[in-house]
Amino acid sequence: MKKIKILLLVIVLMACALGLAGLKIFKDKITSEVKTYLIEERGYNPNDIYEIYTQIGKAPLVSTTVIFEDDRSSRYLYRKENGKIYQYSRAPVQGVDDGTKRYKHIEE
């Protein structure tokens, strides 16, 4: 009986580890795709990007945040839908957008 409990515990731990590894691989893949989009389709230089990371939120919403080197106070939000990457929102890095903020990297 004790061996079965240990085996079940090992299986559960391995499943959790594999799930977390898969999630990291997925997030890294989306981050890479957004970076490639910015460089190859939008003409940015890799040095133009200060920070880029992907998060998974509710609904489920997969969102990649990009902060550009020349506009570190703004974050630009991208997502991939139906095979296309697009900018769907932007916001200040801190605080709330009061409508007066100028964004340098708006995509229409």
Side-chain angles (χ1 to χ4, degrees):
M1 189 67 163
K2 190 172 184 176
K3 287 183 180 182
I4 293 175
K5 287 182 181 179
I6 291 173
L7 181 60
L8 286 174
L9 179 63
V10 168
I11 290 171
V12 168
L13 290 175
M14 287 179 62
C16 289
L18 286 173
L20 290 174
L23 189 60
K24 176 156 178 29
I25 290 168
F26 174 75
K27 287 168 49 174
D28 289 347
K29 180 180 180 278
I30 297 297
T31 299
S32 177
E33 289 178 6
V34 170
K35 188 172 186 177
T36 299
Y37 162 79
L38 291 171
I39 293 167
E40 292 181 4
E41 292 187 36
R42 301 298 296 179
Y44 288 102
N45 184 302
N47 295 329
D48 294 334
I49 300 168
Y50 173 71
E51 186 175 6
I52 184 169
Y53 57 90
T54 298
Q55 296 176 302
I56 298 177
K58 297 177 184 176
L61 173 68
V62 178
S63 176
T64 302
T65 299
V66 178
I67 300 173
F68 291 96
E69 186 66 44
D70 66 346
D71 190 9
R72 289 190 185 187
S73 65
S74 302
R75 56 191 165 117
Y76 299 84
L77 304 170
Y78 292 82
R79 77 164 67 159
K80 182 177 180 182
E81 202 170 90
N82 298 324
K84 298 206 179 232
I85 295 171
Y86 64 95
Q87 184 185 97
Y88 73 93
S89 189
R90 60 219 147 257
V93 169
Q94 294 183 343
V96 179
D97 190 352
D98 61 4
T100 62
K101 179 151 181 51
R102 304 281 254 177
Y103 295 96
K104 295 180 181 181
H105 301 279
I106 293 177
E107 293 181 19
E108 299 301 325

